[in-house]
Amino acid sequence: MQPLKNPFGIMDPNEKPKQYQNNPFDIQNDELNETIKLGDNVASQEEKQLLFEPSKLQSNETVEEISLLEDLDITSPLLIKSRIMSVLFFQKCDSEYLEDPDLSGPILIVVSLGLLPLLTGKVHFNYIYGIGLWGWLLLYFLMNFMIQQQEKQIEFYKILSYLGYGLAPIVLLSFLRIFLQDSSFVYALAIVCAIWSTASVSKTFDTILGLQHRRFLIAYPLFLFYCTFVIITIFS
Amino acid sequence: MKTQQDTSTDPFAFAFNPQNIENTVNNAKNTLNNPLFGMAYANFGKKFSGIGDKYDSLLNQIFSSQYRYYFDVDNMYVVKKSIMTIAPYLYRGNWALSSEFQAISPTENVHAPDLYLPLMSLITFVLLRCLNLGITDKQEFNPGYIVDSFWKCLVISFLEVIIIKIVFCFLDGIRVNTVDLISHLNYRYCSLCALMVFNILINNNFFSSICTVYVLICQAIFVYKTLQRYSPSHNQSALELSSFGSNITLLLSLLQPFCSWILLSFGQ
């Protein structure tokens, strides 16, 4: 019977570990019997030292720790918040909002617009989604027909995104409606919210379409669109 | 231990039978290796990839077609046309265009048809009716009323356009563009919006009735003057047909206030 071999080899306490004898990053060419060692092709001595002692690199520069969401380029919660704030307070929004708007914010706003009346016992999801979709389609065709003279075109999802973000003041109205009873103050607040939504969204459309002399003609259909939601919020 | 599954009780025996599996795999290999099938799949792929381009070009075609002239409006046109619907007697003379079959932009001629004003006034009228109902009787209002009102207006407008188109078809030699007809017959919503605003602000039945009669008469005058450009006056002798044409136009113009009266009476 053969003696059992130590699977790790003969353990010699004085023996250096193999990794220090031959660098695993060295390239060995058995045919030409030559070895290209790590660091042979590096020009400067400083970089050569960094190859063997990478801890030095970290000590000179401070590494900023980025959060996982930012590292993965998922900035939706912050983006939605900043865009809603820009719509509510007429602030300048990020440049990406005009070129590549998102739909996550509008979906959140529309769902909250449907959920808030639930607190008063009213279920209006079907009307909100139905009127929103039909209004979006009509506005898409209307806008594109009106801007055709300038040989421009605006896409489906952009209009949906801008209209969705414009519903933010109406969500505020819906929230306040839970606590307020019917009065002239509520009606005045409703008109203010409709005009607020229209003004913020028509500003976005003016920037994109550049129809300065038709500003009111573009704003009026938007006003009608938001008035529909205001009427559903106030009178139901 | 059984080497094969008991096929008498296993419902999926046809799938797990080794012989069937070999046949299935062989058939799949044959189809994939066959160059003809490869060409067929490539053609399918091209078709699907071309659908996106066709969709874009279709939309471009629609938006750059003659229909864009119906939305080429400006502020002055909207104001003038609105005044024309409320007080048509202010615009005397012939309301004809230079050419009935060439698209004219409304910015060039105030008598040119457009679709912006009828569409906006229709939606405004529906919302004003909802507002009126919400203010007067809140318990009766529900969001379905918006949809119901909208459909009632569309159905009545559609029936009116169909009737007038049929009448014009029976009269020889009259060619009317359907979209133009839709445009001409739906300016009524502009005057109806003014009527609704008046009713909301001045809640008085007597004044409301007078205003309603005035609006209906104005609608009849508007449609009469607009449809005169289509009346048959050049086929036979001028004396015979000019009176016949104006009679027909007068009858058709009375259809508009009748339809408006139906909308106002039976809508709520």
Side-chain angles (χ1 to χ4, degrees), chain B residues 96-160:
Chain B
L97 300 171
S98 54
S99 165
E100 297 299 333
F101 305 109
Q102 195 185 356
I104 298 172
S105 170
T107 50
E108 294 166 15
N109 191 335
V110 76
H111 300 300
D114 77 300
L115 287 174
Y116 176 87
L117 196 55
L119 186 63
M120 291 302 113
S121 52
L122 165 65
I123 297 170
T124 310
F125 175 66
V126 167
L127 291 178
L128 283 170
R129 285 188 71 165
C130 298
L131 184 69
N132 193 24
L133 183 64
I135 290 171
T136 55
D137 192 0
K138 194 172 175 253
Q139 303 301 323
E140 284 289 320
F141 179 83
N142 71 79
Y145 188 74
I146 299 173
V147 181
D148 287 341
S149 292
F150 186 71
W151 279 112
K152 278 175 187 157
C153 294
L154 277 186
V155 165
I156 288 174
S157 297
F158 177 71
L159 286 172
E160 194 182 350

Side-chain angles (χ1 to χ4, degrees), chain B residues 35-167:
Chain B
L36 290 174
F37 278 108
M39 280 161 54
Y41 296 144
N43 282 336
F44 269 123
K46 277 183 201 166
K47 266 191 189 174
F48 287 129
S49 68
I51 283 173
D53 293 334
K54 275 189 187 173
Y55 171 74
D56 272 340
S57 66
L58 176 68
L59 282 178
N60 277 333
Q61 260 185 321
I62 292 170
F63 292 134
S64 56
S65 64
Q66 282 207 322
Y67 295 113
R68 73 180 192 274
Y69 289 108
Y70 291 103
F71 295 94
D72 185 23
V73 295
D74 60 357
N75 296 336
M76 281 312 297
Y77 171 81
V78 169
V79 169
K80 281 185 188 171
K81 201 79 180 195
S82 308
I83 293 169
M84 212 190 289
T85 57
I86 299 168
Y89 44 83
L90 294 175
Y91 289 82
R92 294 176 192 274
N94 205 359
W95 286 15
L97 300 171
S98 54
S99 165
E100 297 299 333
F101 305 109
Q102 195 185 356
I104 298 172
S105 170
T107 50
E108 294 166 15
N109 191 335
V110 76
H111 300 300
D114 77 300
L115 287 174
Y116 176 87
L117 196 55
L119 186 63
M120 291 302 113
S121 52
L122 165 65
I123 297 170
T124 310
F125 175 66
V126 167
L127 291 178
L128 283 170
R129 285 188 71 165
C130 298
L131 184 69
N132 193 24
L133 183 64
I135 290 171
T136 55
D137 192 0
K138 194 172 175 253
Q139 303 301 323
E140 284 289 320
F141 179 83
N142 71 79
Y145 188 74
I146 299 173
V147 181
D148 287 341
S149 292
F150 186 71
W151 279 112
K152 278 175 187 157
C153 294
L154 277 186
V155 165
I156 288 174
S157 297
F158 177 71
L159 286 172
E160 194 182 350
V161 167
I162 291 279
I163 290 168
I164 292 183
K165 187 81 179 170
I166 289 170
V167 168

